Amino acid sequence: MSLPIIGLVLLAAFMHAGWNALLRGGRDRLWSMAIMDLVLGAGGCIVVPFTGLPSAASLPYVIASGLLHFLYNILLVRSYRTGDLGEIYPIARGSSPALVTLGALVLVGEHPGVAAIAGVLLITGGILLLALTKGRMHAGSLPIALATGAAVASYTVVDGVGVRLSGDWLAYSGAMFALELLLPLWFVWRRGVAALYAPAPEVLKSATGGAVSFAAYAVVIWALQMGAMGSVSALRETSVVFAAVLGRLFLGETLTGKRIAACLVIAIGAACIAQG
């Protein structure tokens, strides 16, 4: 991948860690996710009239991605009930790049170079090491975090294939983001419309997270049409480094020497992908 693509994906990684920190720090995370997805869905609905729908061949992937994102959001909210940002986030994100690389190989015949494969493996290993340095996990955290990672890998591969069939990455993004309205609708069905109301500062914080998420994943979709899926996924998951720092600065989580070492392994992996 070119340096501009790498730089933009790393920026997306930082933004992704930021909205996860906002979500983890919220008191009612399902409400926070509903507001975030309301912003995402509204953004998608604004984009679609200008771009039109993507090609018919990509529409099944748009629908599949929307359903997988809905599942991912539910799993993520559930996982943060039993673990903190520095524990759940690395496992959920670290388990996906290798799965994405394998899925891209099977579905579209992508064969990344040796350096890129080494980078994916280093980033995956570093992320999982980052999770293990937290010590003993809550008994319920690991399965739900791994399930979240599987959902991440699934929607990444689906979007990687779908955007290449779409003919227009922005049209694909708009249509896919519009389906993020599924979670707010589900939230209203469960709790009622009145449950959406909250103090303005809380709404603003979650809405900001939604806007950041929109920008972050739009960049990833753009990159997926040009770069190897596994490499894009691995670079995106360097967000765990940013999450570790944000967790320390804003959520009072511990950042030890071992965790810093794991972050360095991830950085070396990113450098390998840049060389590949």
Side-chain angles (χ1 to χ4, degrees), residues 157-172:
V157 173
V158 166
D159 286 334
V161 177
V163 72
R164 295 175 189 185
L165 294 172
S166 69
D168 184 341
W169 72 271
L170 190 56
Y172 182 90

Side-chain angles (χ1 to χ4, degrees), residues 148-258:
T148 305
V152 171
S154 298
Y155 74 63
T156 302
V157 173
V158 166
D159 286 334
V161 177
V163 72
R164 295 175 189 185
L165 294 172
S166 69
D168 184 341
W169 72 271
L170 190 56
Y172 182 90
S173 299
M176 186 277 293
F177 282 132
L179 290 179
E180 294 283 355
L181 291 174
L182 287 173
L183 191 135
L185 290 172
W186 180 74
F187 178 88
V188 169
W189 176 72
R190 287 190 62 192
R191 298 192 186 180
V193 176
L196 285 174
Y197 294 96
E202 289 296 314
V203 174
L204 179 61
K205 183 172 72 172
S206 295
T208 300
V212 169
S213 178
F214 186 101
Y217 198 60
V219 169
V220 171
I221 291 177
W222 170 78
L224 283 170
Q225 70 179 338
M226 294 178 289
M229 294 183 209
S231 297
V232 172
S233 174
L235 281 175
R236 184 196 184 201
E237 307 319 347
T238 58
S239 57
V240 299
V241 176
F242 302 118
V245 174
L246 292 172
R248 174 66 183 89
L249 292 176
F250 299 107
L251 302 177
E253 298 179 2
T254 304
L255 187 60
T256 64
K258 290 182 179 179

